[in-house]
Amino acid sequence: MIVNRQWLYIMNRQKLVFNKFIDNRSSLQNIYFAHTNNIADIQKEWRYLENFGVQSPAQTYDFTKVWINNLEIEPRNQFFSIVTLDKRPIILMALEKRKKWGLTIFTPFFARHVGTNAPLIDSEQIAKLSLIERKAVWQAAIEPIKNSAHLLFFPHIIENKISNIDPYDKLGLSCKIDNLYRAEFNNWQQIDKERRNRSRRKHDKQHRAKLSKLGNVTFEEIMGNDVRADKIIALMFRQRAERFAKQGIKNPFSDEKIKKFYYQAIKLNNKPRGSLHILRLDNEIIAVRYNIIFREKIFCLISSMTNNPTIQRGGPGKQNLLYIMQTIFENGAKIYDMGAGLTDEKRIWCNRKINLRHYYRPLTLLGFILSLAALVQNKTRYKIKNNQFLFNLIKRIRKV
């Protein structure tokens, strides 16, 4: 793209300087961009864009700030870019600079820990733009770092078309990587009618009976600022660690800084805020779900259950989720986001399957080569995961 740049001073608010971006091929004349390495500088614009729809806790200001503080990310490795159109924020990128394979890569802070890692946008406004105009606003977003990295990588972006237009389609090269599963209902009565057939009710009853034979079963929801939260989270991490060890999977929560983040994030008490759903057997916790709530959406980030085989036969995880669905949707929730990757629980409860895509924005020849290699690898992996024969074959090979 051939671009003429006019470095026009617009405002200086907390070291945030806006510059005009002009693309001769675009009819837009009021695109401005700014960048900073201090999250506080773009708080006003971030909170404005939160009003247009948050698809993940990673897109919220407070949650991201907790991550940066607890992971002790140096300011020189932080990058925040804001694009305005007609003096209103339209795109916000929050990225971390990392080194990988000898290349400099900008990617969202949370890596694989928190769902979708998309830039925060006014999706309806972007969808109204022409193809050339969409290219222009995304080019403005990366303008400040186009000469300081090899690649921008955005994992797990939700495919959300508006009038058959994907607002992210000009962000970069992309491929479908997985599916996101959500339960979207108006109330518990709708769920009970649509998702619980005769067979499902029978299984729930059998599981409840097995647990009841072992002791008194109770369910509780506590908010993240409850004094009991830390002990419950510590137990949850122990349960997860035992499960990962049994499966031969690397524990993503082994880093003490990561654990510290989750202890702090659950204590958020505004937008977003944290909660824990707990199932107990004779007052012993046998299942936990760690959630972040943003308005009418609830995002489950971690779930765990006891590794006692006798108790597991009673399906404590499934029983906990049954209580959760009834509780949250009776209390006004509209969406329960259970994350990517199909499991039996998601098959039972989730009525929405949403495409997730990886996006690559190469800035150099090396970045372009890496992007092409990653696209081929991810497309192959996706085909294998969605072909039962190939998937079972790979699992057998891994086992051997």
Side-chain angles (χ1 to χ4, degrees), residues 270-299:
N270 190 15
K271 297 176 183 178
R273 55 197 174 96
S275 75
L276 296 166
H277 291 117
I278 307 145
L279 192 70
R280 289 188 173 90
L281 180 65
D282 286 340
N283 210 37
E284 177 187 347
I285 296 175
I286 58 174
V288 181
R289 276 191 174 249
Y290 180 115
N291 310 287
I292 295 296
I293 306 167
F294 188 85
R295 296 174 182 167
E296 79 286 354
K297 296 177 182 176
I298 301 179
F299 302 90

Side-chain angles (χ1 to χ4, degrees), residues 47 166 168 236-237 260 262 287 319 331 397:
R47 295 200 185 281
D166 184 352
Y168 293 105
M236 178 190 72
F237 281 136
K260 184 180 177 183
Y262 282 104
Q319 284 296 294
N331 291 336
I397 293 172

Side-chain angles (χ1 to χ4, degrees), residues 355-391:
N355 292 339
L356 292 174
R357 305 186 72 87
H358 279 358
Y359 279 81
Y360 301 86
R361 182 80 179 219
L363 302 175
T364 65
L365 178 59
L366 285 175
F368 181 71
I369 294 171
L370 178 62
S371 299
L372 291 182
L375 286 170
V376 171
Q377 181 186 38
N378 289 326
K379 287 179 180 179
T380 303
R381 183 181 298 167
Y382 182 80
K383 287 181 179 179
I384 291 173
K385 285 180 66 176
N386 289 275
N387 183 301
Q388 198 61 49
F389 172 77
L390 292 176
F391 189 54

Side-chain angles (χ1 to χ4, degrees), residues 20 55 68 71 118 125 142 197 212 232-233 297 300 337:
K20 190 166 186 177
Q55 300 293 342
I68 291 170
L71 273 291
Q125 184 60 44
I142 68 169
N197 56 25
S212 296
I232 295 169
I233 295 171
K297 296 177 182 176
C300 178
D337 186 310

Side-chain angles (χ1 to χ4, degrees), residues 23-167:
D23 178 359
N24 288 336
R25 297 188 298 177
S26 170
S27 61
L28 300 176
Q29 297 298 316
N30 295 308
I31 307 177
Y32 293 90
F33 65 92
H35 67 98
T36 179
N37 63 348
N38 184 351
I39 190 172
D41 292 345
I42 44 82
Q43 180 178 174
K44 179 181 177 181
E45 289 82 2
W46 196 318
R47 295 200 185 281
Y48 172 83
L49 284 172
E50 284 180 352
N51 294 320
F52 294 92
V54 163
Q55 300 293 342
S56 162
Q59 291 182 313
T60 65
Y61 176 85
D62 296 295
F63 195 77
T64 305
K65 189 175 182 180
V66 173
W67 177 273
I68 291 170
N69 290 340
N70 283 279
L71 273 291
E72 300 175 358
I73 300 171
E74 296 182 14
R76 63 188 176 92
N77 292 326
Q78 300 176 40
F79 173 78
F80 304 95
S81 171
I82 185 77
V83 177
T84 67
L85 179 62
D86 296 328
K87 299 183 179 180
R88 293 184 298 179
I90 190 171
I91 295 173
L92 188 147
M93 288 185 178
L95 305 171
E96 180 182 358
K97 183 168 70 175
R98 300 173 185 169
K99 290 287 186 179
K100 192 169 186 178
W101 304 307
L103 304 182
T104 301
I105 298 175
F106 280 92
T107 191
F109 288 102
F110 295 93
R112 296 183 178 182
H113 269 272
V114 186
T116 181
N117 287 281
L120 190 58
I121 63 174
D122 181 346
S123 56
E124 291 191 3
Q125 184 60 44
I126 293 178
K128 292 177 182 177
L129 303 178
S130 68
L131 177 67
I132 292 176
E133 290 169 344
R134 291 202 303 278
K135 286 183 179 179
V137 294
W138 284 114
Q139 182 64 34
I142 68 169
E143 183 71 13
I145 57 170
K146 68 171 193 169
N147 295 319
S148 59
H150 294 89
L151 174 68
L152 275 73
F153 171 50
F154 302 91
H156 299 105
I157 291 183
I158 288 178
E159 192 177 88
N160 183 28
K161 292 187 177 181
I162 299 172
S163 300
N164 210 33
I165 293 174
D166 184 352

Side-chain angles (χ1 to χ4, degrees), residues 337-364:
D337 186 310
M338 299 191 197
L342 182 61
T343 63
D344 192 42
E345 292 174 343
K346 295 173 188 177
R347 179 185 59 79
I348 293 168
W349 294 107
C350 295
N351 60 340
R352 280 210 66 196
K353 183 174 76 170
I354 307 168
N355 292 339
L356 292 174
R357 305 186 72 87
H358 279 358
Y359 279 81
Y360 301 86
R361 182 80 179 219
L363 302 175
T364 65

